[in-house]
Each structure stands twice: as C-alpha cells, then as structure tokens.
Amino acid sequence: MSRVLVIDDDASLRFTLEAVLSDAGLVVETCQDGPSGLTAFEARGADVVLTDLAMPDMDGMKVLERMRAADPSVPVLMLTAHGSERVAVAAIKAGAFDYIAKPFDPDELALAVRRAIDWRDLRLQNARLRTEAALGRMIVAESSALKRVMDVIARVAPKDVTVLLTGESGSGKDVLATVLHAHSRRAEKPLIRFNAAAIPNELAEAELFGHTKGAFTGAQAARQGYFQQANKGTLFIDEIGELPLAIQAKVLRALQSGEVQQVGGRAEIVDARLIAATNRDLVADVRSGRFREDLFYRLNVVPIRVPPLRERPEDVEPLVRTFVRQYSERYGMGSVEVEPSVVEALRTRPWPGNVRELENTVARLLALAPDERITMALWHSLSEGAPASAAVPHVAGDPGNSYPLRARVEGFERAIIAEAFDGAGRNQSETARRLGVSRPALIEKLHKYGLVGR
C-alpha cells in the first residue's frame, strides 16, 4: 500500500487531507511543519510528499529542495493558496511534480496523488528493468532480511554517497552494486568494476589510476585507469580489503579531493562515485595496521551488510527457479521441471558459498540431467556421492550425446581447471601458468564453476 507524507501547519487541513487520502486507500502520515516532515521522511520514507507552500520557518520551496536532495525519485506535490499560481509554477521548475490550488476538490486531489504514485512506480520499474538487463536475470528479494537491505539501497542509491558492502563471498554484493548504480543519478553513465583480489599488487595501481606511455616496462601506450573510465559514473571496487597500503593512500586521496594521479603522469580531477565491497573484517584489519583507518571511515559512510543465504532461506526457491530458466536457455533445453523435494533439499542446505554456490549447483544439475527434469535421484547423485567437483564427468570420458554441447564443454572445462587447481596446491598463479591463461581469467572461471572454497 502506497504511503503519503502530508506536511501542513494547519491542523484542520491536515485532518481533511488525511481523511480524503485514507478513503482513497492510501497510508497517510501527517506532520505540522517542514523540519518534522523531513525527519519523518528520513526515518520512514514515503511514496509521495504533499506539502503546503506557505509555512513559517521552513516553507514548501525549502521542503522541496531538501526532499529532492534526499531522494529525487519521490514526487512532491504543492498545496497553494488561490492567487499564488506564479509561485507554484516556479516550484514545478524547481522539481515539484504538480501543484494543487486551495480550495481543492477531494476527488481531484486523490487523482493527482494517484498520478504521482503511478509516475514513481514507472520510474522504479524502469530502473529495475535496467538493473535486470545489466545482470541478465531478475532480482530476487523475497526474504525480510534482503528486503531490508533493498530498502536501504533504495534510499541511498539516488544520493552521491560512498557505500561499503560487506558480507561473505558469493552473497550478492556485486549484484547490489549494480542495483545502486542503476537507481542512481549516474545510471546513464558507466559502471566500472575493479576486483582488487584478481589483480597482482604490482599492477593494481596502473589499473586503477592509469599510466603514461613508458611509465614502466611493458607500458607501450598510455592507458586510462578505472577511475578515469568511471568519470561521471560509478566505480565499484570489489574486495577492497586486498589493496596494499600504498594504493589505499591514493584511493583515499581520490575520495577526498577527486584527484587521480596516473603512474608516470600528472594529476587530474575525476568525478566518480565509489562503491566498495569486502568479505574481510576491515575493523580488525584497521586494528592490525593492514587497512588504513582514514580510508575505512571514508568508505564506511553508508555500511550495508549483505546477509548470507543461510539467513534468508525464503530466497532459495525463487533463486532456483531463476537459475533454472537462465541455464536451461543457455544449455538449449526446454521447460525444466524441478521436483518439489529437490527445492526443499536445496532450501535446507547451509550454502557456505552462498548464492554463487547455489547457482553453480543448479547449473551442474541441469548439465547432468538426462532429460528435462531435476529429480531427487539426480540430486542424491551429486550430494551424497563424491565431492561436487567429481559430479562433472571426468575429462577422459564423454558424458554422452544426451547432454547439450555447451554443458559437455563446460563440464570438461571445469574438470580440467579443477584437476590443475588441485595439482598446483590450489595456488592461483601457478594454476594460471600451467593452463596458459591470465590469473584474472582463471579467477573468473574458478568462481563460475564453484571451485573457490570447496
């Protein structure tokens, strides 16, 4: 049910507005002045704000300015006295959704508020579609734990504030970074991703801040860094806790002043919003001297903890359905039936690898399904037999013609990587060398096939 925040210094008018809007099926909260209205908005939010234009201390124009700064996606309607239409037009130019002249017709008032709600719903739907297009799948948030997170994200996304996402690996921090960007004022500009754990320390500075030609051995051409690429947009630094202290100092400088220093070049000013994520305990790292305290406080403006999947079992079933659709299309399969008992078995698992582990498990089940059904017998063959890595057919054998080509190729690739990773003592650099691929490419495959943390 949509919520309307009414701000007016006239008690009798507040009573009337509450009655009219409540009769229209809306939840109404009333406040007697601008400051109390702003406090209520910050605490509980609203889908629409209806404010009087002429109020003592803080008038409607000031309320509009503050509301727009807090959340521009919330429409603000102005109540104006007869003869003040010129001021009302100025309010619309300043960002108000519409104005309603007093005395008003109750039906017209309710209609105007409904129109504002529809406008907001359409904007939020468009932002959600942009997010899902970027993700390649739907956003799943059925649990109360994740809904609370999404509510915080909806509030902070439109504001140019630094956000620190914390949580276990695979819990969905990268997805939420995409949501933050898609609902921000920078949504039309690029979202640039940088994984600090996937880049060797000696290259991280050049990757983040760019370099000039000849700045170091192998720098055959000048290159923009991730900060420059994210100018006017958003930079997402994943696993920021892995950055060495020297680079942390440069990130701090970029946050404080917007100044970015290329390797071998001059400083320049960059306007990029920063979203950071980590699975580390940065407070403990600050105490041990591994992470800069000043950078931590710069990052920790809005901390958001992403709950692990075991704390939100309600999300498992819709996630399974989402992944089944996604991978059945990828594998060239038709409509896939999942036995309810399989869904229940998946829902009750602890999932130490979180959403990423669940996704990889569903992908393996589909890859190994002899037909377009996921049965308990198939689930038992994976969960009660050998370790997950052995569930994929061994590289030396062909799983058979009943498997789609992509599933067979991915099964072979996973087995090859798993064998090389174990043979190299689970050392990423050595595994990459043996396979003849870059370390970042290897890390991407390790995450894709659920080989990290197994």
mmCIF file of all heavy atoms in Angstrom, residues 409-445:
data_model
loop_
_atom_site.group_PDB
_atom_site.id
_atom_site.type_symbol
_atom_site.label_atom_id
_atom_site.label_comp_id
_atom_site.label_asym_id
_atom_site.label_seq_id
_atom_site.Cartn_x
_atom_site.Cartn_y
_atom_site.Cartn_z
ATOM 1 N N VAL A 409 30.889 -29.153 -22.941
ATOM 2 C CA VAL A 409 32.114 -28.354 -23.000
ATOM 3 C C VAL A 409 32.427 -27.757 -21.634
ATOM 4 O O VAL A 409 33.573 -27.809 -21.163
ATOM 5 C CB VAL A 409 31.986 -27.239 -24.057
ATOM 6 C CG1 VAL A 409 33.148 -26.265 -23.961
ATOM 7 C CG2 VAL A 409 31.919 -27.840 -25.463
ATOM 8 N N GLU A 410 31.409 -27.208 -20.955
ATOM 9 C CA GLU A 410 31.640 -26.606 -19.647
ATOM 10 C C GLU A 410 32.014 -27.664 -18.614
ATOM 11 O O GLU A 410 32.815 -27.414 -17.710
ATOM 12 C CB GLU A 410 30.402 -25.819 -19.197
ATOM 13 C CG GLU A 410 30.188 -24.553 -20.013
ATOM 14 C CD GLU A 410 29.124 -23.641 -19.419
ATOM 15 O OE1 GLU A 410 28.375 -24.110 -18.523
ATOM 16 O OE2 GLU A 410 29.052 -22.469 -19.831
ATOM 17 N N GLY A 411 31.434 -28.861 -18.754
ATOM 18 C CA GLY A 411 31.810 -29.942 -17.844
ATOM 19 C C GLY A 411 33.269 -30.317 -17.995
ATOM 20 O O GLY A 411 33.995 -30.500 -17.005
ATOM 21 N N PHE A 412 33.731 -30.426 -19.246
ATOM 22 C CA PHE A 412 35.134 -30.734 -19.489
ATOM 23 C C PHE A 412 36.031 -29.608 -18.966
ATOM 24 O O PHE A 412 37.054 -29.856 -18.328
ATOM 25 C CB PHE A 412 35.390 -30.934 -20.994
ATOM 26 C CG PHE A 412 34.848 -32.230 -21.541
ATOM 27 C CD1 PHE A 412 34.400 -32.314 -22.855
ATOM 28 C CD2 PHE A 412 34.781 -33.361 -20.755
ATOM 29 C CE1 PHE A 412 33.916 -33.491 -23.365
ATOM 30 C CE2 PHE A 412 34.300 -34.554 -21.251
ATOM 31 C CZ PHE A 412 33.855 -34.626 -22.556
ATOM 32 N N GLU A 413 35.648 -28.360 -19.252
ATOM 33 C CA GLU A 413 36.464 -27.219 -18.827
ATOM 34 C C GLU A 413 36.581 -27.185 -17.304
ATOM 35 O O GLU A 413 37.668 -26.974 -16.760
ATOM 36 C CB GLU A 413 35.855 -25.915 -19.332
ATOM 37 C CG GLU A 413 36.701 -24.685 -18.975
ATOM 38 C CD GLU A 413 36.111 -23.398 -19.510
ATOM 39 O OE1 GLU A 413 34.933 -23.116 -19.220
ATOM 40 O OE2 GLU A 413 36.826 -22.676 -20.221
ATOM 41 N N ARG A 414 35.489 -27.407 -16.616
ATOM 42 C CA ARG A 414 35.519 -27.381 -15.165
ATOM 43 C C ARG A 414 36.432 -28.470 -14.607
ATOM 44 O O ARG A 414 37.220 -28.249 -13.678
ATOM 45 C CB ARG A 414 34.107 -27.562 -14.599
ATOM 46 C CG ARG A 414 34.064 -27.413 -13.073
ATOM 47 C CD ARG A 414 32.678 -27.760 -12.536
ATOM 48 N NE ARG A 414 32.580 -27.427 -11.123
ATOM 49 C CZ ARG A 414 33.074 -28.162 -10.144
ATOM 50 N NH1 ARG A 414 33.721 -29.281 -10.407
ATOM 51 N NH2 ARG A 414 32.938 -27.777 -8.872
ATOM 52 N N ALA A 415 36.324 -29.669 -15.180
ATOM 53 C CA ALA A 415 37.147 -30.767 -14.701
ATOM 54 C C ALA A 415 38.639 -30.499 -14.936
ATOM 55 O O ALA A 415 39.486 -30.807 -14.085
ATOM 56 C CB ALA A 415 36.733 -32.068 -15.389
ATOM 57 N N ILE A 416 38.971 -29.916 -16.103
ATOM 58 C CA ILE A 416 40.369 -29.592 -16.404
ATOM 59 C C ILE A 416 40.907 -28.582 -15.396
ATOM 60 O O ILE A 416 42.000 -28.745 -14.837
ATOM 61 C CB ILE A 416 40.487 -29.030 -17.837
ATOM 62 C CG1 ILE A 416 40.213 -30.131 -18.869
ATOM 63 C CG2 ILE A 416 41.881 -28.433 -18.071
ATOM 64 C CD1 ILE A 416 40.053 -29.613 -20.285
ATOM 65 N N ILE A 417 40.118 -27.529 -15.137
ATOM 66 C CA ILE A 417 40.562 -26.493 -14.204
ATOM 67 C C ILE A 417 40.673 -27.060 -12.802
ATOM 68 O O ILE A 417 41.635 -26.774 -12.071
ATOM 69 C CB ILE A 417 39.602 -25.287 -14.252
ATOM 70 C CG1 ILE A 417 39.690 -24.609 -15.626
ATOM 71 C CG2 ILE A 417 39.924 -24.282 -13.147
ATOM 72 C CD1 ILE A 417 38.644 -23.515 -15.828
ATOM 73 N N ALA A 418 39.688 -27.874 -12.378
ATOM 74 C CA ALA A 418 39.717 -28.456 -11.038
ATOM 75 C C ALA A 418 40.954 -29.325 -10.847
ATOM 76 O O ALA A 418 41.632 -29.263 -9.807
ATOM 77 C CB ALA A 418 38.448 -29.276 -10.798
ATOM 78 N N GLU A 419 41.280 -30.136 -11.863
ATOM 79 C CA GLU A 419 42.449 -31.014 -11.778
ATOM 80 C C GLU A 419 43.737 -30.196 -11.686
ATOM 81 O O GLU A 419 44.615 -30.473 -10.854
ATOM 82 C CB GLU A 419 42.487 -31.932 -12.997
ATOM 83 C CG GLU A 419 43.647 -32.931 -12.976
ATOM 84 C CD GLU A 419 43.631 -33.838 -14.190
ATOM 85 O OE1 GLU A 419 42.709 -33.705 -15.023
ATOM 86 O OE2 GLU A 419 44.539 -34.679 -14.303
ATOM 87 N N ALA A 420 43.841 -29.139 -12.507
ATOM 88 C CA ALA A 420 45.049 -28.310 -12.487
ATOM 89 C C ALA A 420 45.144 -27.524 -11.185
ATOM 90 O O ALA A 420 46.230 -27.359 -10.616
ATOM 91 C CB ALA A 420 45.037 -27.347 -13.681
ATOM 92 N N PHE A 421 44.021 -27.043 -10.676
ATOM 93 C CA PHE A 421 43.998 -26.255 -9.440
ATOM 94 C C PHE A 421 44.445 -27.106 -8.250
ATOM 95 O O PHE A 421 45.276 -26.689 -7.436
ATOM 96 C CB PHE A 421 42.584 -25.718 -9.226
ATOM 97 C CG PHE A 421 42.464 -24.631 -8.198
ATOM 98 C CD1 PHE A 421 43.473 -23.699 -8.015
ATOM 99 C CD2 PHE A 421 41.321 -24.531 -7.415
ATOM 100 C CE1 PHE A 421 43.346 -22.687 -7.082
ATOM 101 C CE2 PHE A 421 41.189 -23.521 -6.484
ATOM 102 C CZ PHE A 421 42.202 -22.598 -6.307
ATOM 103 N N ASP A 422 43.908 -28.324 -8.171
ATOM 104 C CA ASP A 422 44.315 -29.222 -7.089
ATOM 105 C C ASP A 422 45.776 -29.637 -7.241
ATOM 106 O O ASP A 422 46.521 -29.724 -6.262
ATOM 107 C CB ASP A 422 43.422 -30.460 -7.061
ATOM 108 C CG ASP A 422 41.997 -30.137 -6.598
ATOM 109 O OD1 ASP A 422 41.823 -29.105 -5.906
ATOM 110 O OD2 ASP A 422 41.072 -30.907 -6.927
ATOM 111 N N GLY A 423 46.212 -29.886 -8.497
ATOM 112 C CA GLY A 423 47.594 -30.298 -8.744
ATOM 113 C C GLY A 423 48.610 -29.224 -8.419
ATOM 114 O O GLY A 423 49.777 -29.512 -8.117
ATOM 115 N N ALA A 424 48.172 -27.947 -8.474
ATOM 116 C CA ALA A 424 49.065 -26.826 -8.155
ATOM 117 C C ALA A 424 48.942 -26.406 -6.691
ATOM 118 O O ALA A 424 49.364 -25.303 -6.318
ATOM 119 C CB ALA A 424 48.749 -25.645 -9.062
ATOM 120 N N GLY A 425 48.346 -27.274 -5.876
ATOM 121 C CA GLY A 425 48.190 -26.938 -4.471
ATOM 122 C C GLY A 425 47.239 -25.786 -4.244
ATOM 123 O O GLY A 425 47.364 -25.047 -3.258
ATOM 124 N N ARG A 426 46.267 -25.600 -5.164
ATOM 125 C CA ARG A 426 45.259 -24.529 -5.112
ATOM 126 C C ARG A 426 45.901 -23.152 -5.135
ATOM 127 O O ARG A 426 45.358 -22.177 -4.622
ATOM 128 C CB ARG A 426 44.346 -24.702 -3.884
ATOM 129 C CG ARG A 426 43.649 -26.061 -3.867
ATOM 130 C CD ARG A 426 42.702 -26.200 -2.697
ATOM 131 N NE ARG A 426 41.583 -25.274 -2.773
ATOM 132 C CZ ARG A 426 40.533 -25.415 -3.590
ATOM 133 N NH1 ARG A 426 40.468 -26.445 -4.432
ATOM 134 N NH2 ARG A 426 39.551 -24.549 -3.589
ATOM 135 N N ASN A 427 47.064 -23.050 -5.766
ATOM 136 C CA ASN A 427 47.743 -21.778 -5.958
ATOM 137 C C ASN A 427 47.268 -21.194 -7.291
ATOM 138 O O ASN A 427 47.462 -21.798 -8.357
ATOM 139 C CB ASN A 427 49.259 -21.977 -5.963
ATOM 140 C CG ASN A 427 50.018 -20.672 -6.136
ATOM 141 O OD1 ASN A 427 50.029 -20.091 -7.213
ATOM 142 N ND2 ASN A 427 50.656 -20.217 -5.073
ATOM 143 N N GLN A 428 46.646 -20.013 -7.237
ATOM 144 C CA GLN A 428 46.048 -19.453 -8.441
ATOM 145 C C GLN A 428 47.072 -19.087 -9.501
ATOM 146 O O GLN A 428 46.880 -19.361 -10.697
ATOM 147 C CB GLN A 428 45.203 -18.227 -8.065
ATOM 148 C CG GLN A 428 43.995 -18.563 -7.206
ATOM 149 C CD GLN A 428 43.245 -17.329 -6.756
ATOM 150 O OE1 GLN A 428 43.681 -16.197 -7.000
ATOM 151 N NE2 GLN A 428 42.113 -17.519 -6.092
ATOM 152 N N SER A 429 48.159 -18.459 -9.088
ATOM 153 C CA SER A 429 49.178 -18.046 -10.060
ATOM 154 C C SER A 429 49.791 -19.247 -10.764
ATOM 155 O O SER A 429 49.980 -19.249 -11.989
ATOM 156 C CB SER A 429 50.264 -17.217 -9.358
ATOM 157 O OG SER A 429 49.725 -16.034 -8.808
ATOM 158 N N GLU A 430 50.098 -20.299 -9.993
ATOM 159 C CA GLU A 430 50.700 -21.494 -10.584
ATOM 160 C C GLU A 430 49.700 -22.209 -11.506
ATOM 161 O O GLU A 430 50.072 -22.705 -12.579
ATOM 162 C CB GLU A 430 51.180 -22.442 -9.476
ATOM 163 C CG GLU A 430 51.747 -23.776 -9.963
ATOM 164 C CD GLU A 430 52.965 -23.629 -10.880
ATOM 165 O OE1 GLU A 430 53.608 -22.545 -10.864
ATOM 166 O OE2 GLU A 430 53.278 -24.598 -11.608
ATOM 167 N N THR A 431 48.443 -22.251 -11.086
ATOM 168 C CA THR A 431 47.417 -22.872 -11.931
ATOM 169 C C THR A 431 47.279 -22.127 -13.255
ATOM 170 O O THR A 431 47.192 -22.740 -14.326
ATOM 171 C CB THR A 431 46.064 -22.895 -11.206
ATOM 172 O OG1 THR A 431 46.198 -23.547 -9.944
ATOM 173 C CG2 THR A 431 45.010 -23.619 -12.032
ATOM 174 N N ALA A 432 47.258 -20.793 -13.186
ATOM 175 C CA ALA A 432 47.155 -19.991 -14.404
ATOM 176 C C ALA A 432 48.348 -20.256 -15.322
ATOM 177 O O ALA A 432 48.200 -20.353 -16.546
ATOM 178 C CB ALA A 432 47.070 -18.508 -14.048
ATOM 179 N N ARG A 433 49.550 -20.366 -14.730
ATOM 180 C CA ARG A 433 50.747 -20.635 -15.543
ATOM 181 C C ARG A 433 50.631 -21.983 -16.234
ATOM 182 O O ARG A 433 50.933 -22.115 -17.417
ATOM 183 C CB ARG A 433 51.991 -20.600 -14.651
ATOM 184 C CG ARG A 433 53.315 -20.673 -15.426
ATOM 185 C CD ARG A 433 54.492 -20.916 -14.506
ATOM 186 N NE ARG A 433 54.418 -22.227 -13.870
ATOM 187 C CZ ARG A 433 54.766 -23.366 -14.491
ATOM 188 N NH1 ARG A 433 55.168 -23.348 -15.753
ATOM 189 N NH2 ARG A 433 54.673 -24.509 -13.869
ATOM 190 N N ARG A 434 50.193 -23.004 -15.500
ATOM 191 C CA ARG A 434 50.094 -24.348 -16.085
ATOM 192 C C ARG A 434 49.043 -24.412 -17.198
ATOM 193 O O ARG A 434 49.220 -25.151 -18.182
ATOM 194 C CB ARG A 434 49.740 -25.360 -14.994
ATOM 195 C CG ARG A 434 50.835 -25.577 -13.952
ATOM 196 C CD ARG A 434 50.467 -26.679 -12.978
ATOM 197 N NE ARG A 434 51.488 -26.857 -11.948
ATOM 198 C CZ ARG A 434 51.489 -27.863 -11.074
ATOM 199 N NH1 ARG A 434 50.523 -28.772 -11.108
ATOM 200 N NH2 ARG A 434 52.442 -27.949 -10.168
ATOM 201 N N LEU A 435 47.975 -23.662 -17.034
ATOM 202 C CA LEU A 435 46.911 -23.698 -18.043
ATOM 203 C C LEU A 435 47.139 -22.715 -19.179
ATOM 204 O O LEU A 435 46.419 -22.729 -20.178
ATOM 205 C CB LEU A 435 45.558 -23.402 -17.376
ATOM 206 C CG LEU A 435 45.043 -24.460 -16.387
ATOM 207 C CD1 LEU A 435 43.761 -23.974 -15.721
ATOM 208 C CD2 LEU A 435 44.785 -25.783 -17.100
ATOM 209 N N GLY A 436 48.116 -21.806 -19.013
ATOM 210 C CA GLY A 436 48.414 -20.835 -20.057
ATOM 211 C C GLY A 436 47.367 -19.757 -20.199
ATOM 212 O O GLY A 436 47.089 -19.274 -21.307
ATOM 213 N N VAL A 437 46.755 -19.346 -19.058
ATOM 214 C CA VAL A 437 45.762 -18.279 -19.073
ATOM 215 C C VAL A 437 46.187 -17.210 -18.069
ATOM 216 O O VAL A 437 47.062 -17.432 -17.234
ATOM 217 C CB VAL A 437 44.359 -18.808 -18.712
ATOM 218 C CG1 VAL A 437 43.891 -19.828 -19.723
ATOM 219 C CG2 VAL A 437 44.324 -19.390 -17.308
ATOM 220 N N SER A 438 45.555 -16.040 -18.139
ATOM 221 C CA SER A 438 45.867 -14.981 -17.170
ATOM 222 C C SER A 438 45.232 -15.324 -15.830
ATOM 223 O O SER A 438 44.233 -16.060 -15.749
ATOM 224 C CB SER A 438 45.349 -13.637 -17.667
ATOM 225 O OG SER A 438 43.931 -13.620 -17.663
ATOM 226 N N ARG A 439 45.795 -14.749 -14.776
ATOM 227 C CA ARG A 439 45.245 -15.002 -13.433
ATOM 228 C C ARG A 439 43.811 -14.474 -13.298
ATOM 229 O O ARG A 439 42.950 -15.177 -12.744
ATOM 230 C CB ARG A 439 46.162 -14.375 -12.366
ATOM 231 C CG ARG A 439 45.770 -14.698 -10.924
ATOM 232 C CD ARG A 439 46.907 -14.312 -9.972
ATOM 233 N NE ARG A 439 46.526 -14.489 -8.595
ATOM 234 C CZ ARG A 439 46.033 -13.535 -7.807
ATOM 235 N NH1 ARG A 439 45.880 -12.309 -8.300
ATOM 236 N NH2 ARG A 439 45.706 -13.779 -6.556
ATOM 237 N N PRO A 440 43.505 -13.246 -13.790
ATOM 238 C CA PRO A 440 42.113 -12.790 -13.715
ATOM 239 C C PRO A 440 41.132 -13.723 -14.433
ATOM 240 O O PRO A 440 40.035 -13.975 -13.948
ATOM 241 C CB PRO A 440 42.158 -11.408 -14.362
ATOM 242 C CG PRO A 440 43.553 -10.930 -14.144
ATOM 243 C CD PRO A 440 44.403 -12.154 -14.262
ATOM 244 N N ALA A 441 41.541 -14.234 -15.611
ATOM 245 C CA ALA A 441 40.665 -15.148 -16.354
ATOM 246 C C ALA A 441 40.448 -16.438 -15.571
ATOM 247 O O ALA A 441 39.339 -16.979 -15.532
ATOM 248 C CB ALA A 441 41.269 -15.454 -17.723
ATOM 249 N N LEU A 442 41.512 -16.913 -14.917
ATOM 250 C CA LEU A 442 41.377 -18.126 -14.110
ATOM 251 C C LEU A 442 40.432 -17.901 -12.942
ATOM 252 O O LEU A 442 39.562 -18.733 -12.657
ATOM 253 C CB LEU A 442 42.752 -18.567 -13.591
ATOM 254 C CG LEU A 442 42.710 -19.723 -12.566
ATOM 255 C CD1 LEU A 442 42.259 -21.010 -13.234
ATOM 256 C CD2 LEU A 442 44.057 -19.897 -11.882
ATOM 257 N N ILE A 443 40.603 -16.763 -12.246
ATOM 258 C CA ILE A 443 39.758 -16.479 -11.083
ATOM 259 C C ILE A 443 38.290 -16.425 -11.487
ATOM 260 O O ILE A 443 37.404 -16.930 -10.785
ATOM 261 C CB ILE A 443 40.204 -15.168 -10.407
ATOM 262 C CG1 ILE A 443 41.575 -15.376 -9.747
ATOM 263 C CG2 ILE A 443 39.184 -14.705 -9.377
ATOM 264 C CD1 ILE A 443 42.195 -14.108 -9.215
ATOM 265 N N GLU A 444 38.012 -15.837 -12.640
ATOM 266 C CA GLU A 444 36.633 -15.782 -13.133
ATOM 267 C C GLU A 444 36.076 -17.194 -13.330
ATOM 268 O O GLU A 444 34.932 -17.483 -12.971
ATOM 269 C CB GLU A 444 36.584 -15.001 -14.440
ATOM 270 C CG GLU A 444 35.182 -14.849 -15.003
ATOM 271 C CD GLU A 444 35.155 -14.073 -16.307
ATOM 272 O OE1 GLU A 444 36.198 -13.497 -16.676
ATOM 273 O OE2 GLU A 444 34.088 -14.050 -16.949
ATOM 274 N N LYS A 445 36.880 -18.091 -13.891
ATOM 275 C CA LYS A 445 36.437 -19.470 -14.109
ATOM 276 C C LYS A 445 36.274 -20.212 -12.782
ATOM 277 O O LYS A 445 35.331 -21.005 -12.617
ATOM 278 C CB LYS A 445 37.456 -20.217 -14.991
ATOM 279 C CG LYS A 445 37.582 -19.681 -16.396
ATOM 280 C CD LYS A 445 36.345 -19.972 -17.236
ATOM 281 C CE LYS A 445 36.565 -19.565 -18.694
ATOM 282 N NZ LYS A 445 35.348 -19.801 -19.511
#
